[in-house]
Each structure stands twice: as C-alpha cells, then as structure tokens.
Amino acid sequence: MTPEQAAANAKTGLATIVGAFAESPQTLRRARLLGLSGWAYHVSARAGALGDVRPETVAAAIGFIAPEAVTDGWEATAKTSAPMEVATWHLHELCKWGIEQIGGFPRVGRLLELTGRVVDAVEHAGLPLFAAWRAMPVPDQTPGARAAVTLHLLHEHRLGVHLVAVRASGLTPLQAIIAGPEGETGAVAFGWQPPYPPAGPIVRRLLWADSVADALAGQAYVALDMAERIELVGLLQSLSQRLAR
C-alpha cells in the first residue's frame, strides 16, 4: 500500500468517524446551550479556531460552503459568542466523545500512535484550518480524547488538500460539488443557490482533483512504513464499523 493509497483508503473511515461525532446528541446539545442554530454552530465550531477573522476569510478557508451561508452563520455566532470560544467548546466536546466512544476501542493506543505520526508529518502550508486546529491545546490527554483529536485533524487535513486540489484542477468549489455524487442536493445542503452548472463537462476534472488530493494527503503517510499504513487503514475501518452499530 503506497502513501497515496493509504490516504485514499483512510478517507471514508475518517469521514464516518468524524461524522459520528458531529451527529452525536452531545454535540447538538452544545449548540443549543450556546444559543446557536445547527448551521451557525457548524460554521463557527469548525472555523472558530482561526480566531476573530472576517467572514470572507472563513469562507475562503472552508471553501465548499457558499460565502453567503458562511457569513450568515459566522455573524449569527458573533451576536452571542466569540467564534474561538465556540471552537474551544467543540474541542472539549470532541475529547469527551472520544473518551466515551473511542476510549474502549481495543487498540486505541496503537491508533493514537499511528495517527499522531501522520498528523505530525503534515506540511500545513495552504491548509489554514488544519494548522489552526493543530495549534489548539488539547484539554484532555487520555488516549480516547487524544485519538479523537488526531482523527479530527486527519479529516481536516483531507478536506484542506481536497480544496487545494479542486482549485488546481480549475474547478470552483460549487462545480466540484455539482460534479460529485450528491450533485445539486449537495449544493443546496452547502447553501449554494441555483442556477447550477452542468455536471457532465466537469466530472473528469473532479476525478483528476481526487487523485491529486490523494497524492497531497499521502505525503504525510510517508511517516509510516507499508505495514503500518495497512494497519492504520484497518484500524480506521474497524473503528468506523464499531461506531456505526
């Protein structure tokens, strides 16, 4: 398994694991306690690590959410909370969730070791959200909490390199969504308004972008040898299946 193949095979497991946290009752409860809509919480919890920046900066860093939707969520948060405060609470909830949901995973120590080495190997140039999150102090050092954070960082890394690859392909974020499996449904979910571009002429560009994203993400997986890359992919699959039950 090459580094690029490891990154490609890790993508689905990472998305499933991070998605389980995002959809957990305690995460949604935190949004309610902060007096935020789900949308405002989503934007500020993810981008709040950037600090007190303008919504245009947030939209540029996230990329795939429509700028108007980002502005709505960011400004709604600013009326009641500092975005960094929301991100800090989000990190606390991530650690609590990790203790509860990942702490009992039989090989959590090995998962933490392997993911930590990959995270440490990431070159963060061009990845502002990843860099901001990696700089956030982790409030709990127990294995489950730390594993949840490293998995979150790897997922953020993948989202960041995907955005870079999409732009390198000549696609806009909206075009990439339209050419992807969710098409117009995905565009609506991310706040984009019609009319939408036709998908047919741009599908091949998105396939190229996906391969570039695998190559970019794979650079960090060079920190592991081939056997370790295979092991990590297997651990991610096992954990994602465990959380999906």
mmCIF file of all heavy atoms in Angstrom, residues 40 43 55-56 68-81 83:
data_model
loop_
_atom_site.group_PDB
_atom_site.id
_atom_site.type_symbol
_atom_site.label_atom_id
_atom_site.label_comp_id
_atom_site.label_asym_id
_atom_site.label_seq_id
_atom_site.Cartn_x
_atom_site.Cartn_y
_atom_site.Cartn_z
ATOM 1 N N ALA A 40 -25.153 27.764 12.358
ATOM 2 C CA ALA A 40 -24.201 28.706 12.946
ATOM 3 C C ALA A 40 -23.139 27.960 13.745
ATOM 4 O O ALA A 40 -21.949 28.305 13.711
ATOM 5 C CB ALA A 40 -24.919 29.711 13.826
ATOM 6 N N VAL A 43 -20.524 26.210 11.340
ATOM 7 C CA VAL A 43 -19.542 27.134 10.757
ATOM 8 C C VAL A 43 -18.554 27.615 11.808
ATOM 9 O O VAL A 43 -17.326 27.582 11.606
ATOM 10 C CB VAL A 43 -20.252 28.338 10.097
ATOM 11 C CG1 VAL A 43 -19.237 29.408 9.677
ATOM 12 C CG2 VAL A 43 -21.060 27.881 8.888
ATOM 13 N N PRO A 55 -15.729 37.165 7.916
ATOM 14 C CA PRO A 55 -16.400 36.016 7.303
ATOM 15 C C PRO A 55 -15.838 35.658 5.935
ATOM 16 O O PRO A 55 -15.866 34.493 5.537
ATOM 17 C CB PRO A 55 -17.872 36.447 7.216
ATOM 18 C CG PRO A 55 -17.870 37.931 7.419
ATOM 19 C CD PRO A 55 -16.687 38.232 8.272
ATOM 20 N N GLU A 56 -15.300 36.651 5.213
ATOM 21 C CA GLU A 56 -14.699 36.345 3.915
ATOM 22 C C GLU A 56 -13.495 35.404 4.075
ATOM 23 O O GLU A 56 -13.258 34.535 3.233
ATOM 24 C CB GLU A 56 -14.255 37.632 3.211
ATOM 25 C CG GLU A 56 -15.401 38.530 2.755
ATOM 26 C CD GLU A 56 -15.931 39.439 3.850
ATOM 27 O OE1 GLU A 56 -15.425 39.363 5.010
ATOM 28 O OE2 GLU A 56 -16.863 40.224 3.572
ATOM 29 N N GLU A 68 -22.238 33.339 1.255
ATOM 30 C CA GLU A 68 -23.359 33.977 1.943
ATOM 31 C C GLU A 68 -23.807 33.156 3.151
ATOM 32 O O GLU A 68 -24.161 33.702 4.209
ATOM 33 C CB GLU A 68 -24.535 34.163 0.976
ATOM 34 C CG GLU A 68 -24.254 35.092 -0.188
ATOM 35 C CD GLU A 68 -23.509 34.407 -1.322
ATOM 36 O OE1 GLU A 68 -23.261 33.169 -1.225
ATOM 37 O OE2 GLU A 68 -23.148 35.096 -2.307
ATOM 38 N N ALA A 69 -23.789 31.829 2.999
ATOM 39 C CA ALA A 69 -24.175 30.959 4.106
ATOM 40 C C ALA A 69 -23.148 31.021 5.239
ATOM 41 O O ALA A 69 -23.507 30.994 6.421
ATOM 42 C CB ALA A 69 -24.335 29.522 3.608
ATOM 43 N N VAL A 70 -21.870 31.105 4.868
ATOM 44 C CA VAL A 70 -20.827 31.253 5.885
ATOM 45 C C VAL A 70 -21.025 32.549 6.663
ATOM 46 O O VAL A 70 -20.957 32.567 7.896
ATOM 47 C CB VAL A 70 -19.423 31.234 5.235
ATOM 48 C CG1 VAL A 70 -18.351 31.655 6.246
ATOM 49 C CG2 VAL A 70 -19.112 29.856 4.679
ATOM 50 N N THR A 71 -21.271 33.622 5.940
ATOM 51 C CA THR A 71 -21.470 34.929 6.587
ATOM 52 C C THR A 71 -22.645 34.886 7.547
ATOM 53 O O THR A 71 -22.559 35.392 8.681
ATOM 54 C CB THR A 71 -21.698 36.028 5.532
ATOM 55 O OG1 THR A 71 -20.527 36.129 4.721
ATOM 56 C CG2 THR A 71 -21.976 37.369 6.181
ATOM 57 N N ASP A 72 -23.751 34.278 7.126
ATOM 58 C CA ASP A 72 -24.926 34.177 7.996
ATOM 59 C C ASP A 72 -24.581 33.444 9.294
ATOM 60 O O ASP A 72 -24.935 33.896 10.391
ATOM 61 C CB ASP A 72 -26.058 33.436 7.273
ATOM 62 C CG ASP A 72 -26.679 34.267 6.165
ATOM 63 O OD1 ASP A 72 -26.432 35.491 6.125
ATOM 64 O OD2 ASP A 72 -27.402 33.686 5.337
ATOM 65 N N GLY A 73 -23.909 32.308 9.185
ATOM 66 C CA GLY A 73 -23.572 31.531 10.363
ATOM 67 C C GLY A 73 -22.556 32.223 11.253
ATOM 68 O O GLY A 73 -22.691 32.230 12.484
ATOM 69 N N TRP A 74 -21.545 32.832 10.648
ATOM 70 C CA TRP A 74 -20.481 33.499 11.402
ATOM 71 C C TRP A 74 -21.029 34.714 12.151
ATOM 72 O O TRP A 74 -20.717 34.922 13.335
ATOM 73 C CB TRP A 74 -19.385 33.905 10.438
ATOM 74 C CG TRP A 74 -18.071 34.295 11.055
ATOM 75 C CD1 TRP A 74 -17.535 35.548 11.143
ATOM 76 C CD2 TRP A 74 -17.102 33.421 11.649
ATOM 77 N NE1 TRP A 74 -16.301 35.513 11.741
ATOM 78 C CE2 TRP A 74 -16.011 34.219 12.070
ATOM 79 C CE3 TRP A 74 -17.047 32.052 11.875
ATOM 80 C CZ2 TRP A 74 -14.885 33.684 12.691
ATOM 81 C CZ3 TRP A 74 -15.931 31.506 12.493
ATOM 82 C CH2 TRP A 74 -14.868 32.321 12.889
ATOM 83 N N GLU A 75 -21.840 35.508 11.475
ATOM 84 C CA GLU A 75 -22.382 36.709 12.112
ATOM 85 C C GLU A 75 -23.427 36.366 13.166
ATOM 86 O O GLU A 75 -23.550 37.070 14.178
ATOM 87 C CB GLU A 75 -22.961 37.636 11.046
ATOM 88 C CG GLU A 75 -21.877 38.242 10.146
ATOM 89 C CD GLU A 75 -22.422 39.215 9.126
ATOM 90 O OE1 GLU A 75 -23.667 39.224 8.920
ATOM 91 O OE2 GLU A 75 -21.617 39.944 8.523
ATOM 92 N N ALA A 76 -24.168 35.291 12.964
ATOM 93 C CA ALA A 76 -25.129 34.862 13.983
ATOM 94 C C ALA A 76 -24.398 34.445 15.253
ATOM 95 O O ALA A 76 -24.834 34.745 16.370
ATOM 96 C CB ALA A 76 -25.979 33.705 13.456
ATOM 97 N N THR A 77 -23.278 33.770 15.105
ATOM 98 C CA THR A 77 -22.482 33.371 16.264
ATOM 99 C C THR A 77 -21.932 34.590 16.994
ATOM 100 O O THR A 77 -21.964 34.671 18.230
ATOM 101 C CB THR A 77 -21.317 32.468 15.829
ATOM 102 O OG1 THR A 77 -21.838 31.268 15.250
ATOM 103 C CG2 THR A 77 -20.431 32.102 17.021
ATOM 104 N N ALA A 78 -21.435 35.560 16.232
ATOM 105 C CA ALA A 78 -20.788 36.737 16.820
ATOM 106 C C ALA A 78 -21.732 37.553 17.699
ATOM 107 O O ALA A 78 -21.282 38.317 18.556
ATOM 108 C CB ALA A 78 -20.214 37.617 15.717
ATOM 109 N N LYS A 79 -23.046 37.385 17.527
ATOM 110 C CA LYS A 79 -24.006 38.128 18.341
ATOM 111 C C LYS A 79 -24.036 37.635 19.788
ATOM 112 O O LYS A 79 -24.433 38.374 20.693
ATOM 113 C CB LYS A 79 -25.406 38.009 17.733
ATOM 114 C CG LYS A 79 -25.551 38.708 16.378
ATOM 115 C CD LYS A 79 -26.939 38.475 15.804
ATOM 116 C CE LYS A 79 -27.094 39.140 14.442
ATOM 117 N NZ LYS A 79 -28.427 38.873 13.842
ATOM 118 N N THR A 80 -23.615 36.378 20.000
ATOM 119 C CA THR A 80 -23.705 35.806 21.349
ATOM 120 C C THR A 80 -22.390 35.253 21.874
ATOM 121 O O THR A 80 -22.192 35.179 23.087
ATOM 122 C CB THR A 80 -24.745 34.668 21.378
ATOM 123 O OG1 THR A 80 -24.365 33.663 20.429
ATOM 124 C CG2 THR A 80 -26.130 35.193 21.034
ATOM 125 N N SER A 81 -21.492 34.851 20.982
ATOM 126 C CA SER A 81 -20.255 34.193 21.415
ATOM 127 C C SER A 81 -19.098 34.567 20.500
ATOM 128 O O SER A 81 -19.303 34.867 19.320
ATOM 129 C CB SER A 81 -20.415 32.665 21.393
ATOM 130 O OG SER A 81 -21.531 32.238 22.133
ATOM 131 N N PRO A 83 -16.225 33.323 18.180
ATOM 132 C CA PRO A 83 -16.027 32.062 17.457
ATOM 133 C C PRO A 83 -14.969 31.157 18.077
ATOM 134 O O PRO A 83 -15.135 29.935 18.119
ATOM 135 C CB PRO A 83 -15.622 32.523 16.057
ATOM 136 C CG PRO A 83 -16.283 33.859 15.907
ATOM 137 C CD PRO A 83 -16.205 34.484 17.260
#
